Amino acid sequence: MAKILIDTKAEAKLSLKEKEDTLALCPFAAIEVVNGNLVINDKCRLCMSCVRKGPAGVYLFEEDKVEELDKSQYQGITVYLDNHDDKIHPVSIELLGKARELADKISTPLYALLIGHNLSETLKQLDGYPIDKIFVYDDKKLAQARIETSTAIFSAFNQSVKPAVILVGATVWGRSLGPRVAAKLKTGLTADCTKLDIKENSDLVQIRPAFGGNIMAQIVTPNHRPQMATVRYKIFSPLTKTGHHPEVVYQDVPSDLVITTEILKSHVKEKAPSISDAEILVAVGRGFKAEKDLEMARELAELLGGQLACTRPLIEAGWLDASLQIGLSGRTVKPKLIVCLGISGSVQFKAGMENAELILAVNQDEHATIFDVAHQGFVGDLYQIVPAWIKALQERSS
Amino acid sequence: MNILVCLKQVPGSTKVDIDETTGVLKRDGVDSKMNPYDLYALEYALSLKQEGDTITAFSMGPNQAIDMLKEAFGMGVDEAVLLSDRALAGADVLATSYAISQGIALLGDFDLILCGKQTTDGDTAQVGPELAQWLSLPHGANVIKIEEITDSDVTITLTTELGSQTQKLPRPCLLTIEKDANTPRLPSYKKLQATKDKEIRILGVKDLKDKDPKHYGLNGSPTQVERIFPPSVNTDKILHQGTPQELTKAFVNALKEARFL
């Protein structure tokens, strides 16, 4: 099995103090000094921090040999089209946008996978997009989306097409179906990627926040195909129509589809305008000292023609509804303008908004990490600045 | 009815910082707690319990997770099992869910397996559905309510993109429970005292049916972390300092430049 080894010869050159200093290398407290010797305990997650950052030659990684995979056997980047009731979720079109770029980079085709019944309406919406092939599985057993039937279709599709990559939108449905499929195909699935790239050998470079959020991890799936990843809505830009007529390929639906789940009823909630669809947002954070002070943020939002949004602590304080939370545990947003007020800028928050076109931020602390993503930062007290901004905007409009 | 609940011990604080100059990870304390999302699954299991039913808590992780399982005893679970082995280190979602499925397979039959919808450290929400696939059980994710349990099926209502959906799944099945589906109880002091010497069954890879170390931990993981790095920094940012009046001028200019005014 793979593990971290300690080279005792290299270790012997270290003083006890130096040994103790290396304990801080591990984010999981998996390095200990026992009777003067370095020991790796069972908390080790093989994150390699000690190997990379430790004193030369002390921490060694013992890897097991893996069989080489013939990657040329797997071609094409596939986007699963998340469709319900003749509508394709916009995250699928965004994934097609990124996938087109990746496919062009390594000269491989862009595929789309569509599952359902009576799909002509849905296919019409796809006409004009530069997709090379749309693989369609149409059957009355697929009229209602079920995890079990969709998983079986993915499996049949994978066997017949052998794609290098399958991308799934991280909708509620995609987050339930994606992992089911990945386990069925015994492959890797990287959740909620915020950046994607591809290597010449078709290895997908998947980047997402890790270890609770303050660090980014670059993840690859080097010995398995297909490589699977999910991406949230509003991370990538949608594919633009070019007038291309994608080739539609009707696939055989397996005759042995089993249905055991009975769908009794679906309830569509009255949808409040989602912050994900807003073009202008004013986001508030812990810099606000009292709930009533949010009024000035509301007023600023109104003057800008935008909506109010917030960070997680304000939801936890019960000041605002959970649907207004930006971040990986809330919603991802990509507005034309976002004004961040009193937000320090956790990775988890920034990952949910850093693709906004214009980011303005107010914070008292000039070292606040929100300024790392803001295009323009304003250092000062929001209690002085926001009223001044409101006044200026009111004067302009009158 | 036999119900199994999957629990994970997670870091007490999610704050992990990276030292910009050395690239070394810095941790804020090493305390641990039960994954907050798992509390809703555990509460659901305990609330469904009737006389003669057994609730088993299952966890995978370092030995330290024993503390968390003791807490689960204090809340009312009947049995606790910990799968713990160095060979499991570095497992991604596929290898984790596979190891858990191997562990559960040793424990006999369950009518219902409940999981939290995600963890606060991994945040993927993937282990539940992958575990269901390995166990060949139907699953429902983001379950708000278990409506009815009969001898043959379980009726649930789950969150969907547009609202909710009510489904009937055959029994046994696996459910991941939505946050706020209920109000989790706290461990009771009396129960904690009464169960403090209660045995926790510890399993290792050698106990599993599939003992091949290549299928577990980093070796059994298709995904690999190539590198970790601090989040990107916008280098051509503009930082305005000055009086509120100066900052207002700069704000209005920024809006004008981008044609919002």
Side-chain angles (χ1 to χ4, degrees):
Chain A
M1 85 195 202
K3 57 179 181 255
I4 304 289
L5 296 174
I6 289 164
D7 184 306
T8 44
K9 268 191 199 149
E11 185 197 356
K13 292 180 190 143
L14 299 181
S15 70
L16 186 62
K17 166 90 175 48
E18 282 170 322
K19 285 179 193 174
E20 279 168 355
D21 285 346
T22 71
L23 304 193
L25 292 169
C26 180
F28 304 107
I31 310 174
E32 292 174 61
V33 178
V34 177
N35 300 329
N37 296 317
L38 288 167
V39 176
I40 305 286
N41 69 31
D42 65 351
K43 288 178 200 154
C44 173
R45 295 211 209 166
L46 296 172
C47 76
M48 310 289 155
S49 292
C50 56
V51 177
R52 271 189 289 253
K53 308 290 180 192
V58 175
Y59 295 99
L60 304 174
F61 176 57
E62 186 190 63
E63 199 171 7
D64 293 355
K65 277 262 170 282
V66 276
E67 284 169 48
E68 279 289 318
L69 181 80
D70 180 6
K71 293 175 184 175
S72 66
Q73 298 280 319
Y74 304 85
Q75 290 294 327
I77 296 177
T78 299
V79 172
Y80 164 66
L81 300 171
D82 192 319
N83 64 308
H84 294 276
D85 304 328
D86 296 339
K87 281 193 203 74
I88 300 169
H89 193 287
V91 70
S92 304
I93 308 299
E94 293 174 356
L95 286 179
L96 284 168
K98 177 48 89 173
R100 179 76 264 171
E101 190 189 313
L102 300 177
D104 289 346
K105 187 170 173 184
I106 61 161
S107 308
T108 197
L110 169 61
Y111 299 145
L113 169 62
L114 182 61
I115 304 171
H117 188 44
N118 292 333
L119 294 161
S120 53
E121 266 310 306
T122 313
L123 283 167
K124 243 185 246 169
Q125 296 167 37
L126 292 164
D127 193 51
Y129 283 118
I131 303 167
D132 296 305
K133 282 181 186 174
I134 304 174
F135 292 93
V136 179
Y137 290 82
D138 185 323
D139 191 281
K140 62 178 186 300
K141 279 186 177 172
L142 303 171
Q144 281 181 302
R146 288 182 176 83
I147 296 290
E148 53 196 336
T149 48
S150 296
T151 306
I153 297 297
F154 263 87
S155 180
F157 168 74
N158 184 54
Q159 272 180 17
S160 122
V161 176
K162 293 193 171 57
V165 175
I166 302 179
L167 302 178
V168 177
T171 58
V172 177
W173 165 255
R175 282 159 70 94
S176 180
L177 175 64
R180 186 93 205 190
V181 171
K184 170 92 182 173
L185 305 180
K186 298 188 171 55
T187 190
L189 171 63
T190 307
D192 298 333
C193 297
T194 53
K195 285 197 180 85
L196 290 175
D197 198 355
I198 201 155
K199 297 183 188 175
E200 205 40 60
N201 67 0
S202 84
D203 277 2
L204 187 67
V205 177
Q206 306 154 99
I207 295 174
R208 76 180 302 259
F211 301 132
N214 285 3
I215 291 165
M216 306 301 289
Q218 177 170 322
I219 296 164
V220 288
T221 313
N223 296 301
H224 290 74
R225 293 292 184 269
Q227 308 163 82
M228 291 185 67
T230 69
V231 179
R232 297 275 196 114
Y233 179 36
K234 293 282 175 182
I235 295 282
F236 297 135
S237 301
L239 185 63
T240 17
K241 290 202 177 185
T242 57
H244 176 85
H245 304 297
E247 182 185 345
V248 177
V249 184
Y250 283 90
Q251 297 276 103
D252 289 336
V253 173
S255 54
D256 55 349
L257 282 182
V258 183
I259 293 179
T260 62
T261 303
E262 200 180 323
I263 294 170
L264 301 175
K265 61 171 189 231
S266 294
H267 172 72
V268 176
K269 234 196 248 169
E270 196 74 31
K271 239 180 132 184
S274 164
I275 55 169
S276 292
D277 297 319
E279 298 212 326
I280 297 177
L281 288 171
V282 171
V284 292
R286 267 189 299 190
F288 284 81
K289 294 173 195 134
E291 192 178 348
K292 64 172 171 36
D293 302 341
L294 297 180
E295 241 358 271
M296 58 180 173
R298 268 200 196 92
E299 204 176 342
L300 183 65
E302 209 168 292
L303 284 163
L304 290 168
Q307 278 192 57
L308 195 67
C310 66
T311 60
R312 182 153 67 183
L314 299 207
I315 302 294
E316 282 164 2
W319 291 1
L320 289 167
D321 188 76
S323 64
L324 299 186
Q325 186 200 326
I326 295 174
L328 280 188
S329 60
R331 279 165 214 263
T332 314
V333 299
K334 202 179 163 194
K336 292 201 161 73
L337 168 68
I338 184 167
V339 182
C340 300
L341 304 174
I343 292 172
S344 58
S346 70
V347 169
Q348 117 98 288
F349 173 81
K350 288 187 291 189
M353 50 68 76
E354 66 189 346
N355 294 315
E357 283 173 33
L358 178 62
I359 302 171
L360 307 181
V362 177
N363 203 298
Q364 262 182 325
D365 174 9
E366 65 176 293
H367 302 296
T369 53
I370 190 70
F371 292 137
D372 294 344
V373 294
H375 302 104
Q376 299 206 24
F378 301 83
V379 184
D381 180 1
L382 73 92
Y383 281 83
Q384 287 181 12
I385 294 171
V386 177
W389 287 7
I390 289 173
K391 201 167 150 240
L393 292 177
Q394 278 169 340
E395 279 166 7
R396 283 187 66 88
S397 63
S398 65
Chain B
M1 215 169 49
N2 287 328
I3 304 178
L4 182 127
V5 189
C6 295
L7 303 175
K8 186 184 184 191
Q9 193 180 43
V10 297
S13 153
T14 52
K15 196 163 161 48
V16 185
D17 259 327
I18 195 157
D19 188 310
E20 298 266 342
T21 44
T22 63
V24 170
L25 295 168
K26 297 186 290 190
R27 239 163 336 112
D28 245 13
V30 287
D31 58 323
S32 308
K33 63 180 182 189
M34 190 185 296
N35 172 37
Y37 293 103
D38 294 346
L39 292 168
Y40 303 101
L42 180 53
E43 179 59 37
Y44 231 126
L46 295 170
S47 69
L48 289 171
K49 184 180 168 163
Q50 290 176 347
E51 213 176 306
D53 290 353
T54 308
I55 314 288
T56 304
F58 187 97
S59 189
M60 172 174 138
N63 262 309
Q64 176 191 329
I66 286 175
D67 298 341
M68 175 197 69
L69 290 170
K70 286 191 169 164
E71 199 185 320
F73 276 141
M75 289 169 170
V77 307
D78 303 292
E79 306 287 339
V81 182
L82 175 65
L83 175 58
S84 188
D85 200 310
R86 278 285 298 280
L88 302 172
D92 70 356
V93 173
L94 191 78
T96 300
S97 56
Y98 180 65
I100 297 173
S101 76
Q102 283 282 311
I104 292 176
L106 291 182
L107 306 177
D109 294 330
F110 293 93
D111 300 281
L112 208 52
I113 296 178
L114 302 183
C115 304
K117 72 162 181 172
Q118 67 193 66
T119 61
T120 52
D121 59 346
D123 251 336
T124 69
Q126 292 181 167
V127 172
E130 295 215 9
L131 175 59
Q133 175 64 34
W134 286 115
L135 293 169
S136 302
L137 297 178
H139 84 266
N142 302 79
V143 173
I144 315 160
K145 196 174 173 207
I146 300 174
E147 307 281 353
E148 194 191 10
I149 302 178
T150 68
D151 288 343
S152 55
D153 347 81
V154 180
T155 304
I156 53 165
T157 296
L158 41 74
T159 309
T160 63
E161 200 67 18
L162 298 173
S164 61
Q165 190 174 70
T166 304
Q167 301 182 349
K168 198 197 275 181
L169 304 181
R171 223 172 100 175
C173 58
L174 182 147
L175 308 176
T176 77
I177 305 295
E178 185 64 80
K179 180 176 182 264
D180 295 331
N182 50 40
T183 311
R185 70 192 67 188
L186 293 168
S188 108
Y189 177 74
K190 244 167 88 181
K191 279 206 185 101
L192 281 174
Q193 285 303 308
T195 55
K196 71 178 187 329
D197 299 320
K198 204 171 154 120
E199 198 197 336
I200 290 170
R201 186 168 168 197
I202 312 279
L203 299 174
V205 168
K206 62 176 189 330
D207 302 309
L208 304 177
K209 192 170 164 224
D210 176 0
K211 301 181 204 316
D212 187 343
K214 282 200 180 62
H215 297 158
Y216 299 102
L218 194 73
N219 289 326
S221 298
T223 65
Q224 290 176 13
V225 177
E226 254 188 341
R227 65 185 184 108
I228 50 175
F229 55 97
S232 62
V233 174
N234 173 10
T235 45
D236 44 77
K237 63 180 175 187
I238 306 167
L239 208 54
H240 302 283
Q241 313 221 20
T243 64
Q245 289 70 32
E246 285 162 351
L247 294 182
T248 302
K249 212 172 157 198
F251 173 67
V252 170
N253 282 340
L255 293 181
K256 270 195 206 159
E257 249 170 58
R259 298 179 188 281
F260 287 102
L261 292 178

